[in-house]
Structures are given as structure tokens and as C-alpha cells.
Amino acid sequence: MTQLINRRDLDFMLYEWLDTAQLTQAPRFAMHDRATFDSVIDAAQALAQDKFAAHAAKLDANEPHFDGERVHLIPEVKEALDAYIDGGFLSAAFAIEHGGLQLPYSVAQAVSALFLAANPGTAGYPFLTAAAANLLRAHGTKAQQARYMQPMLAGRYFGTMCLSEPQAGSSLGDIKTRAIPVAPAHPAPATLAHPCAAQPDGSYRIVGNKMWISGGEHDLSENIVHLVLARIEGAPAGVKGISLFIVPKFLVNDDGSRGARNGVRLAGLNHKMGYRGTVNTVLNFGEKEACIGYLVGQPNQGLACMFHMMNEARIGVGMGAAMLGYAGYLFSLDYARHRPQGRLASNKDPDSKPVAIIEHTDVRRMLLQQKAYVEGGLALCLYCARLVDEQAIAEDPKVREPLHLLLEILTPMAKAWPSEFCLEANKLAIQVLGGYGYTRDYPVERYYRDNRLNPIHEGTNGIQALDLLGRKALMHNGAALKLLLARIAATVAATRDAPGLAEYAQALQRAADTAAQVTLRLGQAAQQGQTDLFLANAHLYLEMLGHTVIAWIWLQQAAAAQQGLATATAADRAFYDGKLRACRYFFRYELPKADSQAALLMQLDDTCLTMPADGY
């Protein structure tokens, strides 16, 4: 049976490291306590195991299919989602006034982690819905919230985000989907049948196509609320002319009942190597019939609104990547403990019993590397969730703004680092199982296929790198990076004299100083107009700074583990010792990789930039 997470590790991160229980001292979370948090996590873990993990392999083998009329999924998907909604998990992080549980985001993310580990294909539907509802909470009108957000939080409607188009991909400035506005004083004649006809109620006609839309068509909910990027006719070119629209599958009447079918139609399904359970679609808007959309926020501000959903989704992608890596790690660890094969090199007796493969050094190396990656990636995502909570309870804008900036610079790393290195952990898990790992008899090959989507999901890792270096590291005269480096310096100061941690504190400070020097060097190139050279090695920059951040996260965990050792039971001593050894591994095996990356960045290396297209 698939093990979703080491619960001792999750409790350690939430309570011993992040001190999540302390959040209950704030009025926003005062109705809760640790017992509440634990009971919610317990219920989520049981449901994730019983209803989500139980059909993950079946769903992977029986992906959604379209018969020309409707999309079919195995019945276990709806059964699991109904139980998820009945358990209150869809609205767990939302305010009580919206029908939610008003849990801290860090607890809600811990809950999400369990479902992502169990079955990301089925979990994708409610996670997209919660993100869409949160966007409407932030940018929708009261009427839009009542008509669309509340039914989503109740689980009656599901949501999607519709950005990419077949011809544009990630280049959102090139989208062609149009929104034709209404002039209320000039209602459309009843005989006008053209799909671009204006609507007398001030809504818009949406015309275009969207690609890679997860959850774009199904019968799992009463309605599907598409959040669609489109360009109002006459809007400026590029991203400055993009607006955001609500486009429901079924129109909603004034009394809240379901109205006529809207003109958004399924053109076909995409078939991916992983995440097979989340139906992925090509959608046509207004191709043969009128498609009505409703503006969210201000015209030409759609991308800013959509980033509210995208940034939440990016942290969620990182969490999903970490958890798929974590699930693979736990499975390969259990396998290594119980699979007898071979003998130690020092044993020359061929008649002696084989040892469990965990006794072989190379297997231990692969397990330790997985542990360092997945526990580091999960911790980074939970740290970001904690920043969201700190913003929510901060009453002083002067306190909130630095928290916002810190989250801004960490978000591209929280998305990209786990999706790069926890995918590597999945590869190592397959290697631990050997030939068996490559078969569908065991789940590790499925974890790898599922996780391979995450470096692409919600903006490729290359886009995250451009965002980190081209925008986040330098914005506001480097204010976000300075905040990050200040927090790293505070951790160094707190651990530089701690027995067993001083080596790591010194290495972390050197890495942070190097990151600052590299950023300054690259920033100078940008100021000199060398834009292409400045961004040529953005991916290296993300890995360098990402490894530095994960080292920082690991040093914090090590300090908490060392503190726990003082009063630990015998069982806990092994857990804490494992934390300290994983920290040691990361600092000795992983963090030094940042040095060679920094050296290339300091040189403004142009190897990739100057490679001619015909040279390949």
C-alpha cells in the first residue's frame, strides 16, 4: 500500500520548526488549536488513503475518454470528490463568512499535500476549483462571488484557468481570443445570429480557442466556471491588453438556477504521459454559437488578476512535485528494507544469506539524496504557506509588505526547485527498485510520469527562472532579495556557534554572499543594455539560488532537530538523527554545486546564447 507521508516528519515541520500552533494566538485563527489541526489532517490522511490512493492506478490505466457527446471517467473519481467535498476540504482555507473552515493556509497546504501524494489526477479538480474561487474572492464583484464563487466552495461548480492557446503556448502576449463588448444603449437585434453579436446586458461575446485546459469538460459537477484570458477589441497589444472573464459552461439564472448551455465546447482531449486522471482539453469559445463571458476586474488588467490564481497554483505545483517525490522515496525506502539481494563487498562467503539492499552503500546514497530533496522541497512549500498566514494576520501594512516581497521571490523557486529535483528523486526511486521499478507492478514509474508534468505546469521552469532573475531579484532595487538574504543571515547568526552546525552556517553564509555578488554582476549587465546576455543563464541562476534557499531551509530544520534531541525519546532520536544527516548530505553533496554555477554566471558566459541555430 502506498504510504503518503512520514507523519512524524509532517508534524515536525508544522509544529517544531514552523510553530504553526502559535498562529492560534491571532484573532483570525483563535477558534482553532493544535488538536483541531491534527484532527483535520488525520481525516484528510484517512480519506486520501481510502478514496484517492485506492483508485490511482486504475485511473492511470483508464484515462478519461470522449465519445463525441460527453467525457467519461471511472466512477471512483466522483465518489472520491464527493467525499472530499462532504469533508469540507474544498473550502478549508476560506473564511467562515464564505462557508469555509478558516484554517491557516499552512495547515490547508499540509492537507493538500496528502491528496496530491495519493492521487494527483483526481485531486486536480478541487485544487483548480479552490484557486479559481480564491481569485474571485480577491477580484470578483459581490454579485460574481454569490453567483460563482459560493457554488464552487460548496462543491456544486468546479473551476478552471484558461490561459494558453494552440498558437501561443506560454507566450500570453500573443493570445488571440477576443472579447466583443456590449453597448447597453444599442441592444443587438433579435435576428442577428453572428457569434460576435453584442449583448444588451453589458456582457461580452468570447471568440477563440484555449489549449491544455485541465478539468475543461466533465460531468463531475453541476457547472464548470472557466476563467478565461481574452483581448477586448481595440485593447493594446501584448500582455497590457489582456482582460479576464468568467465563462460558465452553463449560464446561471438570477435565482441561481442553471440556465442554458453556453457556447464553450470541447474540441478534443490531450493525452499526457502522466496526470492521466485530470481530463485535459482543447476548448472552442463561440465557434458555432454565442459564448457569453463576464469581465472580472478592470479591462486590460486580466493578467494581474490571473496571477493571483497562478501564483497560488505555482506553490501548489511545487507542493505536488514534492509529494510525488516523497511518495516515491517512501516506497523505495520500504522496498529497500525488505528486498534481500547480494552481499556486502567485504563478505566473501557466497553461501551467506543475502542482505537487504538498504545495506548497500549506493542504495543508501540514493535514499539519502531522495530524502534531502523531498523533505527540503516540502519544507520550502510549507514555509511559503506560513508566509501567507503571517500576511493574513498582520494588521500593519509595514509588516505585510516585506512578507509579500519575500513570498514573491520565493514563489518561482517553490514551483521550480521541487519540480526539478523531486522529479530527480522519482528517478532515483525507480533505480532503487531496479528492473521492478520500471514496471507498472509498482507505483514508482507512475509517480515519475505524473511528476514529469510539473516542470511544465503553470509556467515552465525556464519561465520561472526568467521571472526570478529578470523581475523578482531586482525589483524595488533588490528589496525582495535583500529580505531573503537578511533572513538567511539571521539563521546563520543563530547557528554559527551551535555544536555540529557551525560548518553548515559558514557554508550557507558563503553561498548567500556569492548569490548577492552574482546578482549584482548580472544586474550591471542588465543596466548596460545586455538584456539577452543578462538572462542567458537564468536557469543556472534559479538552481544556484534555489540550492542556497534549500540549504537555508535544511539548516533551520537541523537546528529544530538538534533542539528536539535534548528531550527526545529513543524512537525520536533516530528521527532527529536522520534530519541532521540529511542536512549534512545536502551541505556536502548538493550546496557545492552552486559554486560552479556561480562561476559561470559571474563570467556572463554566452555559450548557450551564441550557439547558432544551424549549429545543432
Side-chain angles (χ1 to χ4, degrees):
M1 180 175 290
T2 300
Q3 185 179 351
L4 305 180
I5 200 167
N6 177 354
R7 182 60 184 274
R8 180 66 184 86
D9 187 32
L10 182 60
D11 288 346
F12 167 82
M13 291 186 189
L14 286 177
Y15 302 122
E16 296 181 59
W17 172 45
L18 293 174
D19 194 14
T20 304
Q22 184 268 340
L23 291 170
T24 61
Q25 297 177 19
R28 179 177 177 81
F29 303 121
M31 74 289 291
H32 300 305
D33 55 20
R34 176 173 174 175
T36 304
F37 299 158
D38 284 343
S39 65
V40 172
I41 295 171
D42 287 343
Q45 189 167 359
L47 179 62
Q49 191 74 66
D50 295 343
K51 290 291 187 180
F52 281 70
H55 73 269
K58 181 179 178 181
L59 183 58
D60 180 69
N62 298 272
E63 61 183 309
H65 67 276
F66 180 47
D67 64 5
E69 296 291 332
R70 57 186 292 265
V71 172
H72 297 268
L73 295 100
I74 62 172
E76 289 89 343
V77 174
K78 183 165 176 53
E79 293 172 11
L81 293 177
D82 287 347
Y84 181 92
I85 292 164
D86 290 344
F89 296 110
L90 182 54
S91 59
F94 284 79
I96 291 173
E97 65 191 78
H98 294 135
L101 300 179
Q102 203 161 309
L103 287 173
Y105 190 61
S106 47
V107 176
Q109 281 292 90
V111 166
S112 296
L114 297 168
F115 292 101
L116 289 166
N119 187 335
T122 296
Y125 300 99
F127 291 168
L128 279 168
T129 300
N134 204 24
L135 184 151
L136 293 179
R137 180 195 61 79
H139 299 289
T141 65
K142 293 293 185 183
Q144 288 172 341
Q145 291 172 359
R147 183 165 289 200
Y148 302 106
M149 182 191 76
Q150 290 298 158
M152 282 196 281
L153 293 180
R156 292 174 47 220
Y157 297 179
F158 281 2
T160 77
M161 54 194 301
C162 300
L163 291 77
S164 297
E165 296 179 8
Q167 82 291 341
S170 298
S171 182
L172 297 180
D174 294 324
I175 66 172
K176 295 180 179 179
T177 298
R178 294 175 294 144
I180 295 89
V182 168
H186 303 283
T191 57
L192 189 59
H194 190 275
C196 296
Q199 292 295 295
D201 62 356
S203 59
Y204 292 71
R205 290 289 179 97
I206 309 298
V207 181
N209 312 95
K210 293 293 180 178
M211 184 76 163
W212 311 119
I213 310 307
S214 296
E217 178 58 39
H218 53 72
D219 293 331
L220 297 170
S221 58
E222 295 177 28
N223 205 348
I224 302 174
V225 179
H226 303 287
L227 294 178
V228 181
L229 292 182
R231 194 180 305 281
I232 297 174
E233 289 195 334
V239 296
K240 294 181 179 180
I242 295 176
S243 299
L244 178 64
F245 299 87
I246 295 169
V247 181
K249 175 180 176 180
F250 293 96
L251 300 177
V252 180
N253 296 322
D254 289 340
D255 62 1
S257 62
R258 193 171 83 175
R261 178 69 190 259
N262 202 7
V264 50
R265 295 289 180 170
L266 177 65
L269 300 184
N270 298 305
H271 299 280
K272 297 184 176 182
M273 65 181 280
Y275 267 76
R276 292 178 175 177
T278 305
V279 59
N280 192 273
T281 63
V282 183
L283 297 178
N284 291 337
F285 296 82
E287 182 182 42
K288 296 181 180 178
E289 56 194 323
C291 181
I292 299 174
Y294 305 91
L295 182 69
V296 178
Q298 298 300 311
N300 305 330
Q301 297 298 313
L303 199 56
C305 294
M306 184 60 87
F307 266 115
H308 190 280
M309 184 175 181
M310 289 170 66
N311 284 333
E312 179 177 343
R314 284 172 175 174
I315 296 174
V317 166
M319 178 66 82
M323 292 310 299
L324 284 168
Y326 208 128
Y329 160 62
L330 291 177
F331 195 94
S332 64
L333 174 61
D334 182 73
Y335 183 90
R337 284 173 169 160
H338 295 96
R339 167 66 171 173
Q341 184 177 314
R343 295 156 189 83
L344 297 181
S346 58
N347 182 0
K348 306 302 182 182
D349 182 3
D351 293 326
S352 61
K353 289 184 179 180
V355 298
I357 62 172
I358 198 171
E359 300 298 329
H360 299 303
T361 304
D362 194 54
V363 172
R364 290 190 176 189
R365 173 191 64 81
M366 291 188 286
L367 292 171
L368 188 51
Q369 189 172 357
Q370 288 182 72
K371 180 180 175 70
Y373 287 165
V374 304
E375 293 182 12
L378 172 59
L380 173 59
C381 294
L382 288 175
Y383 185 87
C384 289
R386 173 60 190 242
L387 292 177
V388 173
D389 287 328
E390 291 179 18
Q391 287 183 78
I393 64 177
E395 298 179 0
D396 187 348
K398 293 181 180 179
V399 175
R400 285 198 302 272
E401 181 58 24
L403 294 168
H404 172 73
L405 284 175
L406 187 58
L407 186 60
E408 282 276 287
I409 196 170
L410 287 175
T411 294
M413 288 181 278
K415 186 275 179 186
W417 197 94
S419 64
E420 189 79 26
F421 291 96
C422 295
L423 176 66
E424 184 69 18
N426 287 126
K427 188 171 76 174
L428 291 165
I430 292 172
Q431 192 73 12
V432 169
L433 269 68
Y436 289 112
Y438 193 64
T439 71
R440 294 188 183 181
D441 295 333
Y442 296 92
V444 289
E445 63 85 28
R446 170 165 48 86
Y447 297 150
Y448 182 89
R449 286 188 289 105
D450 284 339
N451 216 354
R452 187 58 190 84
L453 176 61
N454 287 316
I456 301 171
H457 236 172
E458 301 304 334
T460 65
N461 283 2
I463 289 174
Q464 305 305 317
L466 293 172
D467 181 44
L468 176 63
L469 177 57
R471 181 168 170 261
K472 302 294 178 60
L474 300 181
M475 65 183 184
H476 307 310
N477 197 30
L481 181 62
K482 291 173 184 176
L483 285 168
L484 175 59
L485 295 176
R487 291 219 172 188
I488 291 174
T491 299
V492 169
T495 55
R496 63 161 54 103
D497 297 323
L501 301 183
E503 169 194 339
Y504 313 141
Q506 293 169 7
L508 179 59
Q509 189 61 66
R510 287 194 300 271
D513 292 343
T514 298
Q517 294 166 7
V518 166
T519 306
L520 179 62
R521 175 76 169 116
L522 294 171
Q524 290 170 344
Q527 290 176 346
Q528 294 167 5
Q530 298 174 290
T531 305
D532 290 338
L533 188 58
F534 160 57
L535 295 173
N537 293 309
H539 180 75
L540 276 183
Y541 182 86
L542 185 149
E543 286 200 6
M544 177 203 68
L545 192 57
H547 261 57
T548 302
V549 165
I550 296 295
W552 168 53
I553 293 291
W554 262 116
L555 184 53
Q556 291 183 63
Q557 290 192 79
Q562 198 173 71
Q563 184 176 354
L565 270 172
T567 57
T569 63
D572 266 354
R573 290 190 68 83
F575 170 79
Y576 291 130
D577 183 61
K579 280 288 182 185
L580 291 169
R581 289 179 183 274
C583 178
R584 176 183 178 184
Y585 173 88
F586 197 88
F587 273 86
R588 293 188 178 179
Y589 284 74
E590 294 294 330
L591 185 58
K593 295 176 182 178
D595 291 337
S596 60
Q597 294 163 340
L600 276 173
L601 290 164
M602 287 294 287
Q603 294 171 20
L604 297 177
D605 184 75
D606 66 353
T607 300
C608 299
L609 177 65
T610 58
M611 177 66 174
D614 58 4
Y616 292 96

